[in-house]
C-alpha cells in the first residue's frame, strides 16, 4: 500500500506493471494468514499503531522446489482522521519464524527491524501516507478500501 502511495498519479501504471512482473516472477509464492493489531504506542503521545503480520511462503524461482517461509511484521503509525478514514505511515518491518537455516534462530533471537520509514525519509524526503477507508465494520468483520479501490476484508479470529 505504501509503495502505491509514494508514486505520483502519472506513474501509477508503472507501479502496477512492476507488481505484475513481480507476480509473474514469483508465481510459486503464497500469502498465508494476515493478522492486524491496533495498539497504543508506549510513547508519551500515546500514538496508535497498526501492526500487520503476514505469513508468506515464497518460491525462490518458479519451478525451483526451494521455499522460504516466515512472517513479515510491519509496524505503522495510525492516524484516524475520521471514524472511517485511517492514515497509515510505515515505520519498520521485521521477519520472524523463517525456515532459512541459521537465519531463522538469529532473527528470532535478535530481531532485525528495517526502519522502512527512515529509508523513505532519506530517499524521498518524506514517508508516504496510505489512506484507508472502512466501509463496513462490526464485531467480527471489517471491510476497508485503499485509494486504488483495492478491497481488504478482515475477520476477527
Amino acid at each position: 500500500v505504501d509503495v502505491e502511495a509514494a508514486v505520483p498519479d502519472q506513474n501509477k501504471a508503472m507501479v502496477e506493471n512492476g507488481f505484475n512482473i513481480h507476480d509473474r516472477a514469483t508465481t510459486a509464492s503464497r500469502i498465508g494468514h494476515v493478522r492486524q493489531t491496533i495498539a497504543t504506542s508506549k510513547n508519551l503521545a500515546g500514538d496508535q499503531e497498526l501492526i500487520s503480520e503476514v505469513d508468506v511462503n515464497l518460491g525462490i524461482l518458479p519451478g525451483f522446489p526451494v521455499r522460504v517461509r516466515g512472517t513479515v511484521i510491519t509496524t505503522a503509525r495510525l492516524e484516524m482522521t475520521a471514524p472511517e478514514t485511517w492514515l497509515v505511515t510505515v515505520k519498520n518491518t521485521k521477519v520472524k519464524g523463517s525456515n532459512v537455516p541459521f537465519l531463522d534462530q538469529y532473527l528470532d533471537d535478535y530481531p532485525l527491524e528495517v526502519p522502512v520509514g527512515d529509508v523513505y525519509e532519506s530517499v524521498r524526503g518524506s514517508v508516504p501516507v496510505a489512506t484507508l477507508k472502512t466501509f463496513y465494520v462490526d464485531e467480527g468483520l471489517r471491510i476497508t478500501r485503499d485509494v486504488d479501490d483495492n478491497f481488504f476484508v478482515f475477520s476477527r479470529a
Side-chain angles (χ1 to χ4, degrees):
V1 173
D2 58 304
V3 172
E4 292 174 335
V7 177
D9 287 339
Q10 65 268 25
N11 293 330
K12 292 284 186 196
M14 180 181 69
V15 170
E16 192 61 37
N17 188 41
F19 284 136
N20 287 337
I21 290 169
H22 176 269
D23 185 51
R24 288 186 187 118
T26 59
T27 55
S29 301
R30 298 280 186 259
I31 301 294
H33 289 96
V34 176
R35 293 167 298 284
Q36 287 190 328
T37 305
I38 298 171
T40 300
S41 178
K42 294 180 176 88
N43 66 23
L44 294 176
D47 294 333
Q48 295 283 312
E49 290 183 328
L50 178 64
I51 302 163
S52 298
E53 299 181 48
V54 181
D55 294 337
V56 295
N57 188 342
L58 307 172
I60 302 299
L61 295 170
F64 194 65
V66 175
R67 292 181 148 335
V68 175
R69 289 187 302 275
T71 301
V72 177
I73 303 168
T74 301
T75 302
R77 188 169 81 71
L78 174 63
E79 181 182 351
M80 296 180 191
T81 58
E84 75 286 346
T85 305
W86 294 359
L87 300 180
V88 180
T89 309
V90 68
K91 292 168 63 174
N92 57 59
T93 298
K94 62 184 176 183
V95 174
K96 75 172 187 178
S98 171
N99 70 328
V100 177
F102 305 109
L103 186 60
D104 58 345
Q105 191 63 47
Y106 182 80
L107 288 175
D108 286 345
D109 291 345
Y110 307 100
L112 172 67
E113 288 191 354
V114 178
V116 178
D118 292 344
V119 172
Y120 271 121
E121 185 74 38
S122 296
V123 173
R124 294 184 69 236
S126 65
V127 182
V129 177
T131 302
L132 302 174
K133 291 197 176 262
T134 299
F135 286 88
Y136 179 81
V137 66
D138 65 19
E139 290 296 318
L141 188 71
R142 183 177 87 230
I143 302 174
T144 303
R145 186 167 72 184
D146 68 9
V147 295
D148 294 320
D149 289 331
N150 296 305
F151 281 87
F152 303 91
V153 179
F154 296 94
S155 64
R156 185 176 299 264

